[in-house]
């Protein structure tokens, strides 16, 4: 199993002064970066084949890896046009998507309980999404809608009249079987070739869900602490509400 961590963006919505901007995966909580927490969580889950998709200030992330002395060292792939959408970042790691085995596709800017990752990697090979049914309504969360156990929508904006029996927020972590990861790479390439490289990668995942031919299961992580960090108030919530609920061992071992 291989993990691809998307960490290329500028994080403009954090509203940092230009001279103070840095990749969001280097945000520290209790002195530990999100990147280090990802690495420890993946190692605990038995995943050591890790690819980092970088763009903005990659040298800072490489310096953090050097400080950690992490082994085996994650593979680094650079997206020079990181100012465009995350679809292009996924396209830059197409080789990692298609070289075989199950693939985890993960946003880097998430503080989370390791139990969430365990739900993603549990059992045999699978196409899997994560859903949190306890979420704040609004335009920002990427909603995952399920009907009769089948995902029927993955989007921030839902169409009027959409039929579903379960709705929640997508955690932003996905697991794909080898053949499904290959198909996702093809869909992403189509986005880039048709001039839609500025789109979020969730749109390509949505296309994968809705085209059929793939059986996705949905793991429920409701009640487990996590937060995606996009805005300044998310940093405060991460420190005040999520961090105190995480096991003390998360990211603690050096």
């Amino acid at each position: 199993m291989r993990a691809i961590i998307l960490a290329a963006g500028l994080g403009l919505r954090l509203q940092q002064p230009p001279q103070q901007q840095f990749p969001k995966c280097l945000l520290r909580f209790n002195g530990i970066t999100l990147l280090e927490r990802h690495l420890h969580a993946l190692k605990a889950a038995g995943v050591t084949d890790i690819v980092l998709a970088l763009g903005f200030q990659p040298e800072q992330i490489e310096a953090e890896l050097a400080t950690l002395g992490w082994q085996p060292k994650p593979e680094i792939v650079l997206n020079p046009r990181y100012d465009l959408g995350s679809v292009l970042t996924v396209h830059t790691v197409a080789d990692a998507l298609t070289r075989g085995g199950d693939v985890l596709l993960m946003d880097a800017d998430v503080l989370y309980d390791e139990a969430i990752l365990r739900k993603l990697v549990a059992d045999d090979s699978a196409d899997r999404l994560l859903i949190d049914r306890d979420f704040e309504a609004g335009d920002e969360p990427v909603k995952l809608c399920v009907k009769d156990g089948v995902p029927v929508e993955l989007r921030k904006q839902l169409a009027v009249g959409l039929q579903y029996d379960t709705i929640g927020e997508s955690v932003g972590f996905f697991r794909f079987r080898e053949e499904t990861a290959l198909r996702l790479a093809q869909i992403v390439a189509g986005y880039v070739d048709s001039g839609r490289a500025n789109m979020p990668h969730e749109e390509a995942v949505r296309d994968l869900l809705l085209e059929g031919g793939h059986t996705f299961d949905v793991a429920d992580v409701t009640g487990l602490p996590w937060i995606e960090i996009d805005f300044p108030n998310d940093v405060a919530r991460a420190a005040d509400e999520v961090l105190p609920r995480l096991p003390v061992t998360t990211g603690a071992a050096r």
Side-chain angles (χ1 to χ4, degrees):
M1 187 179 296
R2 180 178 313 104
I4 299 172
I5 302 176
L6 304 179
L10 288 90
L12 290 176
R13 292 185 292 181
L14 283 182
Q15 300 175 2
Q16 300 166 319
Q19 66 275 16
Q20 297 178 21
Q21 289 179 2
F22 58 89
K24 285 193 290 182
C25 69
L26 298 184
L27 284 166
R28 293 183 180 273
F29 297 93
N30 276 359
I32 304 169
T33 63
L34 291 179
L35 175 61
E36 184 179 356
R37 291 176 182 275
H38 274 300
L39 295 175
H40 281 291
L42 287 165
K43 183 176 181 179
V47 181
T48 58
D49 184 358
I50 300 171
V51 178
L52 295 178
L54 308 183
F56 177 61
Q57 297 187 355
E59 66 281 354
Q60 290 204 37
I61 297 174
E62 294 191 62
E64 170 71 359
L65 290 173
T67 298
L68 295 174
W70 196 266
Q71 296 296 329
K73 184 178 179 180
E75 176 185 348
I76 292 175
V77 180
L78 295 179
N79 172 17
R81 291 303 312 275
Y82 55 84
D83 54 316
L84 295 177
S86 54
V87 153
L88 184 58
T89 299
V90 174
H91 186 54
T92 63
V93 292
D95 177 70
L97 273 176
T98 59
R99 70 175 67 145
D102 278 21
V103 174
L104 309 180
L105 188 64
M106 308 174 68
D107 289 335
D109 57 352
V110 182
L111 179 66
Y112 60 97
D113 191 317
E114 291 180 9
I116 287 177
L117 188 60
R118 290 196 294 270
K119 284 181 173 284
L120 191 64
V121 304
D123 309 319
D124 295 330
S125 183
D127 294 319
R128 179 168 297 146
L129 301 91
L130 302 177
I131 189 171
D132 184 348
R133 293 177 288 102
D134 183 13
F135 74 105
E136 296 181 2
D139 293 337
E140 187 58 30
V142 175
K143 289 92 175 169
L144 176 59
C145 300
V146 181
K147 183 174 175 58
D148 299 327
V150 178
V152 294
E153 186 57 285
L154 181 74
R155 224 172 208 179
K156 291 184 177 183
Q157 304 284 346
L158 301 182
V160 176
L162 178 70
Q163 299 295 309
Y164 56 85
D165 50 51
T166 305
I167 184 172
E169 182 174 0
S170 170
V171 176
F173 298 166
F174 307 98
R175 176 177 172 179
F176 305 110
R177 292 176 298 130
E178 180 175 334
E179 55 269 36
T180 312
L182 175 60
R183 178 59 186 144
L184 178 62
Q186 293 169 342
I187 293 172
V188 165
Y191 270 70
V192 174
D193 291 343
S194 61
R196 295 178 291 162
N198 62 331
M199 298 293 288
H201 68 282
E202 289 90 353
E203 284 295 299
V205 176
R206 175 181 183 267
D207 289 350
L208 184 67
L209 292 177
L210 299 185
E211 74 175 4
H214 313 284
T215 303
F216 281 86
D217 64 46
V218 179
D220 195 327
V221 300
T222 304
L224 293 173
W226 71 281
I227 187 170
E228 182 178 5
I229 301 171
D230 289 320
F231 301 99
N233 67 310
D234 293 334
V235 179
R237 287 185 59 201
D240 297 340
E241 300 174 21
V242 176
L243 188 64
R245 297 177 60 197
L246 299 182
V248 294
T249 54
T250 299
R254 295 279 178 170

